[in-house]
Amino acid sequence: MSIKENQDSIRVRFAPSPTGYVHIGSLRTALFNYLFAKHSGGKNILRIEDTDQTRKVEGAVENLIKVMGSLGIEFDEGPIQGGNYGPYYQSQRLEIYRKYCDELINNGAAYYAFETPEELDEMRRLQQLEGRQTMYDGRARNLSEDEVRDKLQKGMPHVIRLKVPADREIRFTDAIKGVIKINSNLIDDQILLKSDGFPTYHLANVVDDHLMNITHIIRGEEWITSVPKHILIYEALGWHAPEMAHVPLILNKDKSKLSKRQGDVAVEDYLKKGYLKEALINFISLLGWNPGEGEENEFYSLDELCKIFTLEKVQTSGAVFNPEKLNWMNNYYIKNYDIDRLIELSLPYFKNSGISSSDDIKKILSAIRVYLNKLEEIPIHLKIFIQEDITPEPASLKDLLENDDSKKIFSALKSKIEKLDFVNAENYKQAVSEVQKETGVKGKNLFKPLRIALTGSENGPELPLIAEILGKEKILKFLGKWI
Ligand code: GLU
């Protein structure tokens, strides 16, 4: 397999049909294109495939560009950046498609068809009845030139179809999947231009990939069945098809195709929940790609990925999307993130807590970040810092607070804390170790009741840190409750 990665004129494109949100699969395609372009010093192009007017969603393109930008995926050419190959919206290129469609008609590779939707339905119904494959039967191929001219003059609605040759083996080599062959008899006479004058995906995609000098097409495997039709169009126009690389499907854990039903598929939802962009990018990069056999490190920054990404290491079989792995990876990034940047990202989750001093936020975040799979979990962990009264949970923990040893340590600690001007982690620890000496209660018997008395729970961040944030007054109040 030869992938011309070092050629300076490498040009790849991400060609979404914006539908309102960015699907995880789209992000993976965009990312692989970006990484491939960066790795090879090539250009990454954004082209908006918006020829299906029924699927148009207001603001979808702006949203897409924003999401990509916020994740660090940049484009060298596109609707915002411009470039020498624009316009980059297909809806602004209709005349171009029309021109190539005419060329296809003139050289006999395409033809006009005038069937009404009812006629086509009837055709399919009969094919089904006869147990045949339902596909357009090519009936308009038989119209004479005069008949066509006549119908056009009458203004009859029409489409333009690709004249797929009979009995040909169409072959191509996919950089990931290898050699693919298909008999042309299985291919429909694909509509190229619709009755509303808009091109179909197939025509627009081929024309643009050629005119935009795209050298490599990297996209999801679901598009592989379109390639034979595209090859016929390239041939009929006398063009070379770019290299193709179809990346494996993203699957749910049960191996079904990643779907909304089983969890979030919109990248925006992950960002909203507080998945860090570095974690998302890292996780998505591993969906169908791996750094190489024997390589155990799974943590890569976007820059590192740009250096090591190659198509050779894209796998052929489906890639399972494992939300637990994403959580694990996000937790790793949260734990290791620059604390000041983490604070910035976390502020929205502190909003309704009443905790506003940046000092407190920093201390709390440092204490709880090891527990966070995503930032939206922050409020759950804030409870212990903002509660005004302690109700042990589960309620059975209360017994432990009411035994004699516990009462003894609470009283001893209370009188030590009363003498302090303020509490910090250090002097709290010191006070507790003095209590241990004085009372003889130690280990679990000492620490567990203290934790429950101060937080209501058996586990959580380090107690001296919590004590520092609670402050003298609250500690006294909480200990006092059980004495
Ligand atoms: N517009 C197609 C999409 O929505 C592009 C497929 C391709 O990359 O050719 O994904």
Side-chain angles (χ1 to χ4, degrees):
M1 186 194 326
S2 91
I3 301 167
K4 292 174 251 143
E5 287 185 31
N6 290 319
Q7 141 189 336
D8 7 299
S9 52
I10 280 193
R11 293 173 57 83
V12 293
R13 81 320 189 254
F14 172 51
S17 305
T19 50
Y21 69 92
V22 182
H23 192 281
I24 287 285
S26 284
L27 173 57
R28 200 254 322 244
T29 302
L31 177 62
F32 282 15
N33 275 287
Y34 173 76
L35 296 178
F36 184 78
K38 286 282 155 201
H39 184 79
S40 55
K43 296 266 185 287
N44 187 32
I45 290 122
L46 175 63
R47 180 174 76 226
I48 305 298
E49 301 211 327
D50 58 349
T51 56
D52 185 347
Q53 293 295 293
T54 56
R55 287 174 66 202
K56 228 175 172 165
V57 177
E58 228 22 73
V61 175
E62 292 71 17
N63 175 57
L64 179 124
I65 293 173
K66 190 174 126 216
V67 170
M68 292 296 155
S70 71
L71 290 167
I73 297 180
E74 290 157 8
F75 298 97
D76 301 294
E77 293 169 27
I80 303 282
Q81 300 76 2
N84 295 333
Y85 298 82
Y88 293 89
Y89 283 99
Q90 288 190 328
S91 59
Q92 294 171 13
R93 301 170 62 84
L94 300 185
E95 279 161 38
I96 303 175
Y97 309 126
R98 181 78 234 187
K99 173 175 159 228
Y100 287 103
C101 218
D102 288 345
E103 194 173 322
L104 288 168
I105 292 196
N106 291 338
N107 66 23
Y111 60 95
Y112 289 98
F114 299 87
E115 291 80 19
T116 62
E118 294 72 28
E119 281 172 282
L120 294 174
D121 283 348
E122 180 59 12
M123 178 192 76
R124 273 186 223 111
R125 198 182 63 81
L126 286 176
Q127 287 171 335
Q128 262 164 0
L129 263 176
E130 291 162 15
R132 287 191 286 142
Q133 189 190 348
T134 52
M135 61 197 288
Y136 182 69
D137 59 9
R139 58 182 68 178
R141 289 180 177 212
N142 306 323
L143 295 174
S144 69
E145 268 183 41
D146 286 345
E147 283 173 304
V148 170
R149 199 174 315 117
D150 185 47
K151 286 179 192 291
L152 288 177
Q153 261 161 16
K154 284 191 187 131
M156 280 179 72
H158 60 271
V159 299
I160 293 172
R161 287 183 180 270
L162 180 65
K163 196 182 276 173
V164 175
D167 275 330
R168 240 196 72 186
E169 184 183 80
I170 301 171
R171 269 172 88 96
F172 66 98
T173 305
D174 185 272
I176 295 165
K177 302 272 173 186
V179 175
I180 308 226
K181 297 180 232 171
I182 181 169
N183 186 290
S184 63
N185 291 348
L186 297 169
I187 306 172
D188 226 340
D189 277 1
Q190 176 64 51
I191 296 181
L192 301 176
L193 204 70
K194 295 180 278 186
S195 52
D196 61 3
F198 280 78
T200 55
Y201 155 72
H202 304 281
L203 176 67
N205 193 265
V206 166
V207 168
D208 287 347
D209 282 343
H210 177 75
L211 295 183
M212 294 182 177
N213 268 344
I214 300 302
T215 56
H216 295 73
I217 293 175
I218 304 168
R219 65 183 161 201
E221 185 184 322
E222 62 273 31
W223 300 100
I224 207 162
T225 50
S226 301
V227 177
K229 295 174 187 172
H230 296 185
I231 289 181
L232 292 173
I233 305 174
Y234 281 110
E235 277 180 14
L237 290 167
W239 297 341
H240 275 297
E243 298 233 22
M244 310 265 177
H246 288 86
V247 298
L249 292 179
I250 304 179
L251 308 173
N252 292 305
K253 277 210 255 169
D254 66 4
K255 302 283 159 87
S256 57
K257 200 173 161 194
L258 187 69
S259 70
K260 238 181 170 157
R261 214 158 26 90
Q262 310 218 12
D264 290 322
V265 291
V267 175
E268 294 86 330
D269 288 339
Y270 286 95
L271 291 171
K272 256 186 240 143
K273 289 183 176 183
Y275 286 93
L276 305 184
K277 65 177 186 181
E278 290 83 353
L280 265 177
I281 288 288
N282 192 161
F283 175 77
I284 299 279
S285 76
L286 297 171
L287 290 178
W289 171 85
N290 64 66
E293 216 156 293
E295 178 52 72
E296 294 197 347
N297 178 23
E298 292 206 274
F299 294 104
Y300 297 99
S301 68
L302 190 56
D303 280 348
E304 285 165 339
L305 289 168
C306 290
K307 289 197 187 96
I308 59 177
F309 182 88
T310 61
L311 288 177
E312 276 87 357
K313 288 181 186 141
V314 175
Q315 71 198 38
T316 50
S317 55
V320 174
F321 183 98
N322 179 347
E324 285 87 44
K325 180 166 177 185
L326 173 58
N327 282 341
W328 166 79
M329 196 162 249
N330 203 40
N331 170 259
Y332 172 88
Y333 276 92
I334 292 174
K335 282 190 299 207
N336 293 290
Y337 222 58
D338 173 74
I339 188 70
D340 292 317
R341 281 174 65 208
L342 191 66
I343 291 174
E344 238 176 85
L345 298 174
S346 303
L347 286 180
Y349 303 97
F350 279 85
K351 236 188 191 145
N352 300 320
S353 67
I355 303 166
S356 55
S357 110
S358 47
D359 200 34
D360 281 352
I361 291 180
K362 189 168 190 162
K363 283 181 194 155
I364 291 175
L365 209 51
S366 309
I368 65 173
R369 65 163 146 180
V370 319
Y371 303 100
L372 301 174
N373 284 334
K374 40 190 181 283
L375 299 181
E376 73 165 7
E377 292 167 0
I378 288 175
I380 309 171
H381 296 275
L382 294 185
K383 191 181 150 217
I384 55 170
F385 302 104
I386 55 183
Q387 57 195 352
E388 290 299 331
D389 184 32
I390 300 288
T391 317
E393 216 163 315
S396 55
L397 292 178
K398 215 173 139 202
D399 297 346
L400 186 63
L401 304 187
E402 287 167 340
N403 72 32
D404 289 346
D405 269 358
S406 299
K407 282 186 193 297
K408 213 158 59 181
I409 55 177
F410 295 159
S411 303
L413 184 60
K414 188 163 174 264
S415 59
K416 304 221 170 293
I417 300 276
E418 272 160 357
K419 292 193 195 105
L420 298 172
D421 291 336
F422 60 89
V423 175
N424 63 22
E426 278 317 302
N427 63 20
Y428 173 84
K429 260 194 256 176
Q430 177 63 31
V432 172
S433 85
E434 285 165 19
V435 167
Q436 177 185 330
K437 277 185 214 129
E438 262 171 40
T439 60
V441 184
K442 53 183 182 218
K444 216 170 86 200
N445 297 337
L446 172 66
F447 295 112
K448 199 170 163 188
L450 281 176
R451 175 174 290 280
I452 300 169
L454 295 183
T455 69
S457 156
E458 266 181 293
N459 9 357
E462 278 182 57
L463 204 51
L465 274 178
I466 299 178
E468 176 167 331
I469 296 161
L470 290 178
K472 180 175 169 181
E473 253 173 69
K474 268 194 174 177
I475 297 176
L476 294 178
K477 180 165 125 188
F478 292 168
L479 293 173
K481 181 168 177 176
W482 310 102
I483 297 172

